[in-house]
Amino acid sequence: MVDRTRLRGLLARERATFAERHPASAAAYHRAEHLFGRVPMTWMNKNAAGFPIYLHSARGARVTDIDGHWYLDLSLGDTGAMAGHSPEPVVAAVHRRLAELGGASAMLPTEDAEVVGAELARRFGLPRWSFALTATDANRWAIRLLRAVTGRPRILVNSYCYHGSVDESLIVVGPDGRPHSRDGNVGAPCDVTGTSRVAEFNDLVGLERELAHGDVAAVLMEPALTNIGIVLPEPGYLAGVRELTRRHGAYLINDETHTFSAGPGGATAAWGLKPDVVTIGKAIGGGVPVAAYGLTGELAATLIDRDDLDLVDMGGVGGTLAGNALSLAAARATLAEVLTGEAFAGMITVATAFAEGVTKIIQGYGLPWSVCQLGARVEYRFASPAPRTGGESAACADAELEDYLHVYLANRGILLTPFHNMALMCPRTGPDDVARHHEVFGAALAELVG
Ligand SMILES: Cc1ncc(COP(=O)(O)O)c(C=O)c1O
């Protein structure tokens, strides 16, 4: 459907326009001699245009860059800013803690922590919570605890999952149907096929085959894959996972870091799931680093009673800044006043309009693409019907096409997440924003195939 020569020509034109429109960002990037890869974090080199846009300011669903352009931000920090940029209740809570009271990180608990724990318990149905600063750490610590409780060595994940830079999760089902280390796995401490097992999402037969080895401490999964496009669970799949994990004595961790977009209690509440552990990060701090994991009462009691586990010092679970006063003040304000049930209802309505419009435009051009919605999160993939597994979704990636759409949108004031084609709605994203996106997206497709 897509003429590659035409696509390459359009991509080159859009990149040239981008370079012309962003002289200040280009200069900042080329000046950054003291940064590894010229960026504060190497993944910021994942950009479609050749260098990143430099942030100047951000509020709600808008960001401005140092070249003086403003953008509708549909990336929202890849979920870190799902509450919108700098929401007022979070700014007030952070200001109070940092400037008025003082003590961002004093190694002492604050009363905010119990309030946040109680709210997470209400939303996700698990009674005991602990905090981290990143979802990666929440996952790392959760899997350590579950290995300790079960005495089993392995973790099972879905092929093409992403749970942060967790060693055990960098495994895929290869073309030969066997487990393989994920391509590009940096400095793995050991062969991941020795620490992990893997099954495709939506594949209960594969899951049961792997669990039957009897060495899996926990299945770490997203209730819908979100990091290889969105792959939704088929009817009965998640119930099957729960049944199989119970039958084979493995715990179930729902990583809700992105699937939180499904509603105020994530997919866990929206779909009535009963995991043993929930991990979550990013959005719950309203932009301030904080993450959390929640445990069943039974698990928490068993772990606390274990004298052989060092949970208070150097036993491998914990971080000095985890649970700090600043991040918990931000999380309390985010949950109580920003990412409320009412806010989610509005975000999901806007996302539904976004998904319907994108579907209509794609169909109008007869493109064999699909659109998936997960609450406030929408994504299109270059395959139809929508991929059922991570492997299928990885197979339909098209970097050139993705880059073209991303730069085209950026040149006209719209940011998608730099990873695949995800658009996320925050409480301040509105129908006018959706209309503007559709106008530009339609124009990009008209130039490509019209
Ligand atoms: C599902 C999921 N879990 C965990 C993480 C890791 O989050 P962080 O980068 O904050 O550690 C991510 C990041 O994208 C994620 O998508």
Side-chain angles (χ1 to χ4, degrees), residues 118-293:
E119 179 60 10
L120 292 171
R122 186 184 74 76
R123 291 184 182 215
F124 292 95
L126 291 167
R128 306 271 179 271
W129 289 81
S130 190
F131 297 100
L133 292 181
T134 67
T136 300
D137 273 346
N139 284 325
R140 282 192 184 127
W141 302 342
I143 65 184
R144 272 182 171 262
L145 293 172
L146 296 179
R147 275 198 302 250
V149 161
T150 57
R152 293 180 174 190
R154 294 200 199 223
I155 301 301
L156 189 148
V157 296
N158 291 129
S159 195
Y160 291 96
C161 67
Y162 186 68
H163 296 284
S165 46
V166 174
D167 291 323
E168 290 84 346
S169 67
L170 298 176
I171 186 168
V172 292
V173 177
D176 56 358
R178 311 264 321 135
H180 289 272
S181 173
R182 194 151 177 171
D183 282 350
N185 188 351
V186 181
C190 58
D191 183 348
V192 68
T193 61
T195 63
S196 307
R197 296 195 177 278
V198 61
E200 287 283 9
F201 194 78
N202 279 327
D203 176 11
L204 290 173
V205 174
L207 177 66
E208 174 144 43
R209 183 186 60 236
E210 296 302 313
L211 288 174
H213 292 279
D215 57 2
V216 171
V219 171
L220 168 61
M221 68 181 290
E222 291 185 285
L225 293 182
T226 65
N227 286 293
I228 189 78
I230 296 171
V231 180
L232 295 172
E234 293 178 336
Y237 171 64
L238 295 175
V241 171
R242 184 62 279 196
E243 200 275 310
L244 287 175
T245 45
R246 286 207 174 109
R247 193 181 331 145
H248 291 276
Y251 284 103
L252 176 61
I253 309 171
N254 275 4
D255 181 344
E256 290 273 16
T257 302
H258 281 180
T259 50
F260 187 29
S261 65
T268 296
W271 300 340
L273 308 177
K274 295 271 176 258
D276 303 297
V277 176
V278 162
T279 56
I280 187 164
K282 301 199 186 186
I284 59 169
V288 175
V290 59
Y293 58 91

Side-chain angles (χ1 to χ4, degrees), residues 104-126:
S105 209
M107 244 190 174
L108 295 171
T110 56
E111 289 166 299
D112 288 337
E114 169 58 15
V115 178
V116 175
E119 179 60 10
L120 292 171
R122 186 184 74 76
R123 291 184 182 215
F124 292 95
L126 291 167

